Amino acid sequence: MIFLSKHKIEYDRPGCIGCGTCPVLCPENWFMEEDGQAQFKKKEINENDFDSNMEAAKNCPVNVIHVLDEKGKKLI
Amino acid sequence: MNIKEFSCTVEKIKEYKDDEGGIAKILILKHNEDFEFKAGQFIMLAPPGFMDRNKPDQLRFAAYSMCSSPKEKNIIELCLRIEKPGGLSDYVNKNVKVGSELIVKGPYGRFNLAEEEVKEYIFSATGTGIAPFISMLRLLKEGNFSKPVHLFFGFRNSKQFLYGEELNALEKSWPNFHFYPCCGDKNDSDWQGEKGFIQHIIKKTKFEAGNEAHCYACGIPAAVEETSELFKELGFKPEKIHVEKY
């Protein structure tokens, strides 16, 4: 995959139920905050983080994590 | 973490219904998947065809903790409160019968038994928040856990005493298990035991391990928050207080 520009994370934090799945699948970009909800470290992701962020988004039980392409289209 | 999505068949349904229209159901699902989970984890449940991410308007699923022990293979046991029309529990109530198909995705969650050596467990549940503790208790009993385990269980009325028979039997057969059921309806003449709020019973209970116990609260958010605060007031260590809000 060629990355001409960075992909972006879209995250609806109020909808997070704190299951802890995303930090397990993508520890490089996701962590749990003290209030029990997940948070990302960086909104723009590169090719190294792409697959694991996609896994986090795909497996989020409440679909609050999305990965957008350079045009803002939701990949997931 | 190995998240799987697979089909299950409803093998058994048990219903708890009270005079005020409150309904809770225990569903036993059978599957052929090699599915592993930890006691206290949950799954997402949906009717077939309703978990398509490309059709968000059709997405209709909900999270339910597993009551079954992780050692029970090919079985997933869930405990659901039937809630507002249009949601998944309403769908289950109206459409799901023995033999129906449901889709399961999971496991998820961090509300698990501690991985360190534990001196005492204190569990506090309200309503269907009993679900993860049923899984934990079955696992602890199977493993002959030798330290004290306390379960404080608050329920709306005597007809919503979920898993009452199993829990009473467990207390008789397992000396380390201490069970404190508490009926919320003070006017319920069918209930002869404790009535009111479980927090009052927790306050007057003596715990062997002092502040070293691992404390858990699960159920309706207000009760979980209140119990969590109580655990802190009683001196339990914040890092040993675990909560799951429904």
PDB file of all heavy atoms in Angstrom, chain A residues 9 22 24-30 45-59 65 67:
ATOM      1  N   ILE A   9      -7.668   8.919  12.342  1.00  0.00           N
ATOM      2  CA  ILE A   9      -8.572   8.222  13.266  1.00  0.00           C
ATOM      3  C   ILE A   9      -9.769   9.121  13.564  1.00  0.00           C
ATOM      4  O   ILE A   9      -9.617  10.321  13.805  1.00  0.00           O
ATOM      5  CB  ILE A   9      -7.848   7.914  14.598  1.00  0.00           C
ATOM      6  CG1 ILE A   9      -6.675   6.950  14.384  1.00  0.00           C
ATOM      7  CG2 ILE A   9      -8.819   7.359  15.640  1.00  0.00           C
ATOM      8  CD1 ILE A   9      -7.068   5.569  13.917  1.00  0.00           C
ATOM      9  N   CYS A  22      -9.016  -2.184  22.154  1.00  0.00           N
ATOM     10  CA  CYS A  22      -8.132  -1.434  21.247  1.00  0.00           C
ATOM     11  C   CYS A  22      -6.679  -1.352  21.726  1.00  0.00           C
ATOM     12  O   CYS A  22      -5.762  -1.533  20.904  1.00  0.00           O
ATOM     13  CB  CYS A  22      -8.720  -0.060  20.912  1.00  0.00           C
ATOM     14  SG  CYS A  22      -9.279   0.890  22.329  1.00  0.00           S
ATOM     15  N   VAL A  24      -5.108  -3.530  23.348  1.00  0.00           N
ATOM     16  CA  VAL A  24      -4.510  -4.859  23.177  1.00  0.00           C
ATOM     17  C   VAL A  24      -4.152  -5.072  21.706  1.00  0.00           C
ATOM     18  O   VAL A  24      -3.072  -5.567  21.373  1.00  0.00           O
ATOM     19  CB  VAL A  24      -5.488  -5.962  23.660  1.00  0.00           C
ATOM     20  CG1 VAL A  24      -4.948  -7.348  23.317  1.00  0.00           C
ATOM     21  CG2 VAL A  24      -5.711  -5.837  25.154  1.00  0.00           C
ATOM     22  N   LEU A  25      -5.046  -4.671  20.812  1.00  0.00           N
ATOM     23  CA  LEU A  25      -4.823  -4.903  19.379  1.00  0.00           C
ATOM     24  C   LEU A  25      -3.894  -3.853  18.761  1.00  0.00           C
ATOM     25  O   LEU A  25      -3.235  -4.125  17.760  1.00  0.00           O
ATOM     26  CB  LEU A  25      -6.167  -4.906  18.641  1.00  0.00           C
ATOM     27  CG  LEU A  25      -7.125  -6.033  19.050  1.00  0.00           C
ATOM     28  CD1 LEU A  25      -8.459  -5.851  18.365  1.00  0.00           C
ATOM     29  CD2 LEU A  25      -6.541  -7.395  18.715  1.00  0.00           C
ATOM     30  N   CYS A  26      -3.859  -2.662  19.342  1.00  0.00           N
ATOM     31  CA  CYS A  26      -3.054  -1.581  18.769  1.00  0.00           C
ATOM     32  C   CYS A  26      -2.403  -0.754  19.889  1.00  0.00           C
ATOM     33  O   CYS A  26      -2.739   0.409  20.085  1.00  0.00           O
ATOM     34  CB  CYS A  26      -3.942  -0.702  17.883  1.00  0.00           C
ATOM     35  SG  CYS A  26      -3.048   0.604  17.040  1.00  0.00           S
ATOM     36  N   PRO A  27      -1.474  -1.366  20.625  1.00  0.00           N
ATOM     37  CA  PRO A  27      -0.878  -0.659  21.767  1.00  0.00           C
ATOM     38  C   PRO A  27      -0.064   0.562  21.353  1.00  0.00           C
ATOM     39  O   PRO A  27       0.162   1.457  22.163  1.00  0.00           O
ATOM     40  CB  PRO A  27       0.009  -1.723  22.417  1.00  0.00           C
ATOM     41  CG  PRO A  27       0.266  -2.729  21.352  1.00  0.00           C
ATOM     42  CD  PRO A  27      -0.939  -2.727  20.459  1.00  0.00           C
ATOM     43  N   GLU A  28       0.363   0.604  20.080  1.00  0.00           N
ATOM     44  CA  GLU A  28       1.163   1.747  19.642  1.00  0.00           C
ATOM     45  C   GLU A  28       0.334   3.030  19.555  1.00  0.00           C
ATOM     46  O   GLU A  28       0.880   4.125  19.579  1.00  0.00           O
ATOM     47  CB  GLU A  28       1.870   1.475  18.305  1.00  0.00           C
ATOM     48  CG  GLU A  28       0.989   1.044  17.166  1.00  0.00           C
ATOM     49  CD  GLU A  28       0.771  -0.467  17.104  1.00  0.00           C
ATOM     50  OE1 GLU A  28       0.657  -1.101  18.174  1.00  0.00           O
ATOM     51  OE2 GLU A  28       0.683  -0.998  15.986  1.00  0.00           O
ATOM     52  N   ASN A  29      -0.997   2.899  19.457  1.00  0.00           N
ATOM     53  CA  ASN A  29      -1.802   4.120  19.334  1.00  0.00           C
ATOM     54  C   ASN A  29      -2.945   4.241  20.330  1.00  0.00           C
ATOM     55  O   ASN A  29      -3.536   5.303  20.444  1.00  0.00           O
ATOM     56  CB  ASN A  29      -2.369   4.233  17.907  1.00  0.00           C
ATOM     57  CG  ASN A  29      -2.789   5.659  17.590  1.00  0.00           C
ATOM     58  OD1 ASN A  29      -2.183   6.611  18.084  1.00  0.00           O
ATOM     59  ND2 ASN A  29      -3.828   5.823  16.782  1.00  0.00           N
ATOM     60  N   TRP A  30      -3.266   3.169  21.065  1.00  0.00           N
ATOM     61  CA  TRP A  30      -4.420   3.241  21.960  1.00  0.00           C
ATOM     62  C   TRP A  30      -4.028   2.877  23.381  1.00  0.00           C
ATOM     63  O   TRP A  30      -3.231   1.971  23.610  1.00  0.00           O
ATOM     64  CB  TRP A  30      -5.545   2.316  21.468  1.00  0.00           C
ATOM     65  CG  TRP A  30      -6.152   2.809  20.191  1.00  0.00           C
ATOM     66  CD1 TRP A  30      -5.746   2.507  18.916  1.00  0.00           C
ATOM     67  CD2 TRP A  30      -7.224   3.735  20.055  1.00  0.00           C
ATOM     68  NE1 TRP A  30      -6.508   3.180  18.009  1.00  0.00           N
ATOM     69  CE2 TRP A  30      -7.433   3.946  18.665  1.00  0.00           C
ATOM     70  CE3 TRP A  30      -8.045   4.408  20.968  1.00  0.00           C
ATOM     71  CZ2 TRP A  30      -8.419   4.808  18.181  1.00  0.00           C
ATOM     72  CZ3 TRP A  30      -9.035   5.256  20.479  1.00  0.00           C
ATOM     73  CH2 TRP A  30      -9.215   5.448  19.101  1.00  0.00           C
ATOM     74  N   ILE A  45      -2.218   8.534  11.321  1.00  0.00           N
ATOM     75  CA  ILE A  45      -1.446   7.288  11.434  1.00  0.00           C
ATOM     76  C   ILE A  45      -0.663   7.051  10.146  1.00  0.00           C
ATOM     77  O   ILE A  45      -1.039   7.532   9.078  1.00  0.00           O
ATOM     78  CB  ILE A  45      -2.360   6.074  11.738  1.00  0.00           C
ATOM     79  CG1 ILE A  45      -3.475   5.948  10.690  1.00  0.00           C
ATOM     80  CG2 ILE A  45      -2.960   6.219  13.134  1.00  0.00           C
ATOM     81  CD1 ILE A  45      -4.287   4.681  10.843  1.00  0.00           C
ATOM     82  N   ASN A  46       0.415   6.326  10.272  1.00  0.00           N
ATOM     83  CA  ASN A  46       1.239   6.030   9.090  1.00  0.00           C
ATOM     84  C   ASN A  46       1.137   4.548   8.743  1.00  0.00           C
ATOM     85  O   ASN A  46       0.407   3.785   9.382  1.00  0.00           O
ATOM     86  CB  ASN A  46       2.686   6.476   9.331  1.00  0.00           C
ATOM     87  CG  ASN A  46       3.269   5.781  10.547  1.00  0.00           C
ATOM     88  OD1 ASN A  46       2.970   4.620  10.804  1.00  0.00           O
ATOM     89  ND2 ASN A  46       4.088   6.508  11.299  1.00  0.00           N
ATOM     90  N   GLU A  47       1.908   4.158   7.747  1.00  0.00           N
ATOM     91  CA  GLU A  47       1.798   2.778   7.257  1.00  0.00           C
ATOM     92  C   GLU A  47       2.162   1.741   8.316  1.00  0.00           C
ATOM     93  O   GLU A  47       1.663   0.631   8.304  1.00  0.00           O
ATOM     94  CB  GLU A  47       2.642   2.563   5.987  1.00  0.00           C
ATOM     95  CG  GLU A  47       4.123   2.816   6.156  1.00  0.00           C
ATOM     96  CD  GLU A  47       4.534   4.231   5.804  1.00  0.00           C
ATOM     97  OE1 GLU A  47       3.802   5.181   6.131  1.00  0.00           O
ATOM     98  OE2 GLU A  47       5.579   4.382   5.190  1.00  0.00           O
ATOM     99  N   ASN A  48       3.030   2.144   9.247  1.00  0.00           N
ATOM    100  CA  ASN A  48       3.434   1.195  10.290  1.00  0.00           C
ATOM    101  C   ASN A  48       2.289   0.893  11.253  1.00  0.00           C
ATOM    102  O   ASN A  48       2.216  -0.181  11.829  1.00  0.00           O
ATOM    103  CB  ASN A  48       4.627   1.747  11.087  1.00  0.00           C
ATOM    104  CG  ASN A  48       5.847   1.886  10.210  1.00  0.00           C
ATOM    105  OD1 ASN A  48       6.055   1.094   9.288  1.00  0.00           O
ATOM    106  ND2 ASN A  48       6.625   2.919  10.461  1.00  0.00           N
ATOM    107  N   ASP A  49       1.433   1.901  11.458  1.00  0.00           N
ATOM    108  CA  ASP A  49       0.334   1.740  12.422  1.00  0.00           C
ATOM    109  C   ASP A  49      -0.984   1.335  11.759  1.00  0.00           C
ATOM    110  O   ASP A  49      -1.963   1.079  12.450  1.00  0.00           O
ATOM    111  CB  ASP A  49       0.036   3.082  13.138  1.00  0.00           C
ATOM    112  CG  ASP A  49       1.250   3.660  13.805  1.00  0.00           C
ATOM    113  OD1 ASP A  49       2.138   2.864  14.128  1.00  0.00           O
ATOM    114  OD2 ASP A  49       1.296   4.886  13.984  1.00  0.00           O
ATOM    115  N   PHE A  50      -1.013   1.336  10.444  1.00  0.00           N
ATOM    116  CA  PHE A  50      -2.286   1.203   9.735  1.00  0.00           C
ATOM    117  C   PHE A  50      -3.016  -0.106  10.061  1.00  0.00           C
ATOM    118  O   PHE A  50      -4.182  -0.089  10.475  1.00  0.00           O
ATOM    119  CB  PHE A  50      -2.050   1.313   8.223  1.00  0.00           C
ATOM    120  CG  PHE A  50      -3.301   1.183   7.412  1.00  0.00           C
ATOM    121  CD1 PHE A  50      -4.204   2.237   7.309  1.00  0.00           C
ATOM    122  CD2 PHE A  50      -3.600  -0.006   6.747  1.00  0.00           C
ATOM    123  CE1 PHE A  50      -5.363   2.114   6.579  1.00  0.00           C
ATOM    124  CE2 PHE A  50      -4.759  -0.133   6.007  1.00  0.00           C
ATOM    125  CZ  PHE A  50      -5.641   0.923   5.920  1.00  0.00           C
ATOM    126  N   ASP A  51      -2.338  -1.221   9.928  1.00  0.00           N
ATOM    127  CA  ASP A  51      -3.013  -2.513  10.108  1.00  0.00           C
ATOM    128  C   ASP A  51      -3.560  -2.681  11.522  1.00  0.00           C
ATOM    129  O   ASP A  51      -4.682  -3.165  11.713  1.00  0.00           O
ATOM    130  CB  ASP A  51      -2.059  -3.667   9.784  1.00  0.00           C
ATOM    131  CG  ASP A  51      -1.808  -3.782   8.288  1.00  0.00           C
ATOM    132  OD1 ASP A  51      -2.583  -3.192   7.506  1.00  0.00           O
ATOM    133  OD2 ASP A  51      -0.826  -4.437   7.907  1.00  0.00           O
ATOM    134  N   SER A  52      -2.753  -2.288  12.498  1.00  0.00           N
ATOM    135  CA  SER A  52      -3.201  -2.506  13.883  1.00  0.00           C
ATOM    136  C   SER A  52      -4.355  -1.556  14.242  1.00  0.00           C
ATOM    137  O   SER A  52      -5.271  -1.932  14.979  1.00  0.00           O
ATOM    138  CB  SER A  52      -2.040  -2.367  14.867  1.00  0.00           C
ATOM    139  OG  SER A  52      -1.421  -1.122  14.712  1.00  0.00           O
ATOM    140  N   ASN A  53      -4.331  -0.337  13.716  1.00  0.00           N
ATOM    141  CA  ASN A  53      -5.467   0.567  13.947  1.00  0.00           C
ATOM    142  C   ASN A  53      -6.728   0.048  13.259  1.00  0.00           C
ATOM    143  O   ASN A  53      -7.838   0.195  13.790  1.00  0.00           O
ATOM    144  CB  ASN A  53      -5.143   1.982  13.449  1.00  0.00           C
ATOM    145  CG  ASN A  53      -4.424   2.818  14.489  1.00  0.00           C
ATOM    146  OD1 ASN A  53      -5.022   3.266  15.463  1.00  0.00           O
ATOM    147  ND2 ASN A  53      -3.126   3.009  14.306  1.00  0.00           N
ATOM    148  N   MET A  54      -6.560  -0.541  12.095  1.00  0.00           N
ATOM    149  CA  MET A  54      -7.715  -1.143  11.405  1.00  0.00           C
ATOM    150  C   MET A  54      -8.291  -2.300  12.237  1.00  0.00           C
ATOM    151  O   MET A  54      -9.506  -2.469  12.335  1.00  0.00           O
ATOM    152  CB  MET A  54      -7.302  -1.653  10.017  1.00  0.00           C
ATOM    153  CG  MET A  54      -7.093  -0.558   8.989  1.00  0.00           C
ATOM    154  SD  MET A  54      -8.638   0.263   8.476  1.00  0.00           S
ATOM    155  CE  MET A  54      -9.263  -0.939   7.307  1.00  0.00           C
ATOM    156  N   GLU A  55      -7.399  -3.080  12.826  1.00  0.00           N
ATOM    157  CA  GLU A  55      -7.850  -4.194  13.683  1.00  0.00           C
ATOM    158  C   GLU A  55      -8.620  -3.660  14.893  1.00  0.00           C
ATOM    159  O   GLU A  55      -9.655  -4.200  15.284  1.00  0.00           O
ATOM    160  CB  GLU A  55      -6.643  -5.015  14.165  1.00  0.00           C
ATOM    161  CG  GLU A  55      -6.157  -6.048  13.164  1.00  0.00           C
ATOM    162  CD  GLU A  55      -7.219  -7.063  12.803  1.00  0.00           C
ATOM    163  OE1 GLU A  55      -7.731  -7.738  13.710  1.00  0.00           O
ATOM    164  OE2 GLU A  55      -7.558  -7.169  11.611  1.00  0.00           O
ATOM    165  N   ALA A  56      -8.080  -2.585  15.492  1.00  0.00           N
ATOM    166  CA  ALA A  56      -8.755  -1.979  16.651  1.00  0.00           C
ATOM    167  C   ALA A  56     -10.143  -1.491  16.250  1.00  0.00           C
ATOM    168  O   ALA A  56     -11.120  -1.701  16.972  1.00  0.00           O
ATOM    169  CB  ALA A  56      -7.915  -0.842  17.209  1.00  0.00           C
ATOM    170  N   ALA A  57     -10.220  -0.841  15.083  1.00  0.00           N
ATOM    171  CA  ALA A  57     -11.514  -0.315  14.622  1.00  0.00           C
ATOM    172  C   ALA A  57     -12.490  -1.450  14.310  1.00  0.00           C
ATOM    173  O   ALA A  57     -13.655  -1.423  14.707  1.00  0.00           O
ATOM    174  CB  ALA A  57     -11.306   0.564  13.394  1.00  0.00           C
ATOM    175  N   LYS A  58     -11.974  -2.470  13.635  1.00  0.00           N
ATOM    176  CA  LYS A  58     -12.823  -3.587  13.209  1.00  0.00           C
ATOM    177  C   LYS A  58     -13.405  -4.330  14.414  1.00  0.00           C
ATOM    178  O   LYS A  58     -14.540  -4.809  14.378  1.00  0.00           O
ATOM    179  CB  LYS A  58     -11.998  -4.549  12.348  1.00  0.00           C
ATOM    180  CG  LYS A  58     -12.797  -5.589  11.612  1.00  0.00           C
ATOM    181  CD  LYS A  58     -11.908  -6.367  10.657  1.00  0.00           C
ATOM    182  CE  LYS A  58     -11.190  -7.482  11.384  1.00  0.00           C
ATOM    183  NZ  LYS A  58     -10.318  -8.286  10.525  1.00  0.00           N
ATOM    184  N   ASN A  59     -12.639  -4.408  15.481  1.00  0.00           N
ATOM    185  CA  ASN A  59     -13.063  -5.219  16.623  1.00  0.00           C
ATOM    186  C   ASN A  59     -13.661  -4.414  17.780  1.00  0.00           C
ATOM    187  O   ASN A  59     -14.007  -4.993  18.811  1.00  0.00           O
ATOM    188  CB  ASN A  59     -11.891  -6.059  17.123  1.00  0.00           C
ATOM    189  CG  ASN A  59     -11.587  -7.197  16.158  1.00  0.00           C
ATOM    190  OD1 ASN A  59     -12.405  -8.086  15.974  1.00  0.00           O
ATOM    191  ND2 ASN A  59     -10.440  -7.140  15.515  1.00  0.00           N
ATOM    192  N   ILE A  65     -14.637   3.503  16.814  1.00  0.00           N
ATOM    193  CA  ILE A  65     -13.331   3.805  16.198  1.00  0.00           C
ATOM    194  C   ILE A  65     -13.457   3.620  14.693  1.00  0.00           C
ATOM    195  O   ILE A  65     -13.936   2.575  14.219  1.00  0.00           O
ATOM    196  CB  ILE A  65     -12.233   2.871  16.742  1.00  0.00           C
ATOM    197  CG1 ILE A  65     -12.101   3.039  18.260  1.00  0.00           C
ATOM    198  CG2 ILE A  65     -10.891   3.168  16.055  1.00  0.00           C
ATOM    199  CD1 ILE A  65     -11.145   2.048  18.898  1.00  0.00           C
ATOM    200  N   VAL A  67     -11.311   4.425  10.804  1.00  0.00           N
ATOM    201  CA  VAL A  67     -10.100   4.862  10.108  1.00  0.00           C
ATOM    202  C   VAL A  67     -10.549   5.517   8.802  1.00  0.00           C
ATOM    203  O   VAL A  67     -11.313   4.919   8.028  1.00  0.00           O
ATOM    204  CB  VAL A  67      -9.151   3.677   9.820  1.00  0.00           C
ATOM    205  CG1 VAL A  67      -7.935   4.161   9.033  1.00  0.00           C
ATOM    206  CG2 VAL A  67      -8.710   3.017  11.128  1.00  0.00           C
TER     207      VAL A  67
END
